[in-house]
Structures are given as structure tokens and as C-alpha cells.
Amino acid sequence: MLGRVRTVGVVCAAVMIAGASCTTTVDSTTGPAGTTAATTGTTVGNYGSSVTTAPPTTTRSLTAAELEELLPTAAEIGPGYSVVTMNDAATAQADEEWNEATRDACPELYEVSSDFAQLFTVAYSQAPTFVQRVYADAATREVEVDLTDGADFIPTEEQLDKLIAATNSCDMIRLSDEQTGNEVSMKLRANPDSHYGDLGMVMTMDIKRTSPLLPRTVKSSGHVRTFQRGETTVSITTIDGIDLQTLRPVPVDYRLAADLAEELDGEIQRLQGD
């Protein structure tokens, strides 16, 4: 279960809870969730804190078909990449394991993300449209592109700042397999980013793998670039591969995420303006 680094709990927060793939849930009995009015500007509290909703955007929501059309092909990701068919059951289990590990290491992040999730479940009734495509190559490099639209929720700079501060407060996230002795640990760093969209952030993941079968700790990196353009959220995750002969990282092309972000941002603006 530790072969693939699953970061959905972290990425879920990084995309401001704007994706239907997020497995983080909010207990409707915690805080004043059940009775909060669904109006713009309402303060919604959970776990003892509060955030304020932002006015919905006036741009047109993109359909599932339009979002699917925006997803890159494997050839556009790079030579040797192919689209990965995900095992839903295995992915769900891995996601839950990472969510639990992240919850232990990042209590502040889960408090903030729960507040944001509350905004979706209480302040707005419209379910977001979510599409995803995962790519990998023979060097085990991975790229994931997630697109979401229609949540009718626009985060503010203040909310983004809270999210970034909460991410940077995380302790080392650790996930161990008692039967094999394998362990994956991950340290997060996040910063605001204004290159694409109306609002954005970038996050770095320093990843370490240890195993009784490995002669030394194996290190690699992951990166998440996420931004919001109108009602559309883009999240691009890259995770370096590992050379099995040398146990050295095989980096994903450092220009890839920025190139994809620039192209997607332009296409989204074009579609929203139609």
C-alpha cells in the first residue's frame, strides 16, 4: 500500500476543497453547521473557528464535457507517459490511510479544510463537477491533473493565507505498514502564487521511503500547483520517480506544471468568456 504516495488529503485542502475527489468529511453535528443560512456573506463556523463566504463568481460554469476536453493527453505530458487506470477500491483505501496520517500531523490544516468543506455543504447546494486524469511512465514518475467547476464558491486571499499557514504548520506526515516495515514520510511547504488564475498556491512535498528491503532511505519530491479562475479550480500534482538501480530520484520535468497551468488558464478563460 506504500508503493504509491497518495496525497489526496493534502491536495484536497490545497485545492480549497473544490474537488469531488476529496475524501475528507465534515460531521454535520459538529458546530452550527445544520442551521447556518445559505446566503452570500454568511459566517460559517466549525471546530470552534469561522470563515466567511465570498460572493459567487459571474463567470459561466464549465460542463463536465468541457472539463474532460481540457485534460491533457499522455503525449502532451511527455514521452513515455501513459494514462493510469486507477483501482477505485485500492485508491480509496490508500486515500483513507493518508487522510488519517495527515489528520494526525496537521490538525490545524484539517480544522481549516473542515471549515471550507462546511461552506460547500451548507452555504451552497450546487455539487461541483470534477474530472481527473493520472499519468505515469516507466520511471514511476506521476502527474495528476484535477479540474473542478460549479461549486459556486470563490475563496478569498484571507482564506488562502489561512490554508497556507495551516499547511506549513504540519508536522512530518508518516504512514507505516506494520507487516512489511515499510514507511513513507512527507513534509509539506506551501506558498501563495499569482502566476495563474485569480488566486493560487504552490506546495512542495519532500518524500522519504524506508524499508527493511532497501539499503538506505529513498528520497523524492512532489509538487502541487493549484489555482482558481472564476469558478474553475485547477490542480496539477507531480511526483518524482525512482531509479530502481541507483535508488536516486528521477525528477518530473520542472517546466511541466507551469506549462500546463499556462495552457489550461488560457483555455479556461476562453471557455468562460463564450
Side-chain angles (χ1 to χ4, degrees):
M1 194 57 64
L2 300 183
R4 172 180 168 83
V5 174
R6 294 300 302 167
T7 58
V8 75
V10 180
V11 175
C12 179
V15 298
M16 295 159 251
I17 315 301
S21 68
C22 296
T23 56
T24 305
T25 58
V26 177
D27 185 350
S28 61
T29 63
T30 305
T35 58
T36 304
T39 58
T40 301
T42 297
T43 297
V44 180
N46 196 30
Y47 297 107
S49 60
S50 64
V51 293
T52 302
T53 66
T57 182
T58 57
T59 60
R60 179 177 71 86
S61 294
L62 304 187
T63 66
E66 288 173 323
L67 293 178
E68 285 281 356
E69 186 67 24
L70 288 174
L71 289 172
T73 65
E76 291 172 321
I77 297 298
Y81 281 93
S82 59
V83 176
V84 177
T85 301
M86 305 300 291
N87 182 315
D88 291 343
T91 298
Q93 182 179 350
D95 289 349
E96 181 55 33
E97 290 172 356
W98 271 107
N99 273 329
E100 291 179 4
T102 306
R103 189 176 293 110
D104 291 340
C106 308
E108 185 177 340
L109 176 60
Y110 264 81
E111 179 177 323
V112 172
S113 65
S114 295
D115 278 334
F116 288 0
Q118 198 69 69
L119 292 178
F120 281 104
T121 58
V122 176
Y124 301 103
S125 60
Q126 183 177 359
T129 300
F130 173 80
V131 299
Q132 176 190 73
R133 193 167 291 169
V134 180
Y135 317 79
D137 70 355
T140 67
R141 293 181 293 186
E142 294 188 17
V143 179
E144 180 176 314
V145 178
D146 301 339
L147 304 175
T148 311
D149 205 307
D152 201 23
F153 169 74
I154 306 301
T156 65
E157 288 188 16
E158 179 183 1
Q159 290 165 347
L160 182 63
D161 288 343
K162 288 182 179 180
L163 181 63
I164 290 172
T167 300
N168 290 331
S169 74
C170 290
D171 294 329
M172 186 73 74
I173 303 171
R174 302 182 187 275
L175 184 60
S176 302
D177 188 321
E178 294 182 357
Q179 293 182 341
T180 64
N182 297 343
E183 180 178 284
V184 177
S185 60
M186 182 168 58
K187 183 62 178 177
L188 307 177
R189 299 190 305 275
N191 289 288
D193 181 74
S194 59
H195 288 88
Y196 310 101
D198 305 314
L199 201 63
M201 65 177 281
V202 291
M203 182 171 63
T204 300
M205 301 172 282
D206 293 327
I207 304 164
K208 297 180 180 180
R209 297 175 175 87
T210 60
S211 170
L213 301 178
L214 295 174
R216 63 176 183 273
T217 299
V218 177
K219 299 179 181 180
S220 60
S221 297
H223 297 84
V224 181
R225 178 181 292 276
T226 183
F227 63 89
Q228 184 120 1
R229 173 66 72 181
E231 290 185 13
T232 308
T233 301
V234 176
S235 178
I236 303 167
T237 302
T238 62
I239 300 177
D240 294 343
I242 300 294
D243 185 320
L244 297 181
Q245 298 298 320
T246 65
L247 298 182
R248 296 184 182 278
V250 182
V252 175
D253 183 352
Y254 73 94
R255 300 168 299 181
L256 177 62
D259 290 345
L260 288 174
E262 183 174 3
E263 182 174 353
L264 288 168
D265 196 19
E267 286 299 301
I268 289 168
Q269 290 183 80
R270 179 183 63 81
L271 289 171
Q272 289 177 344
D274 286 348

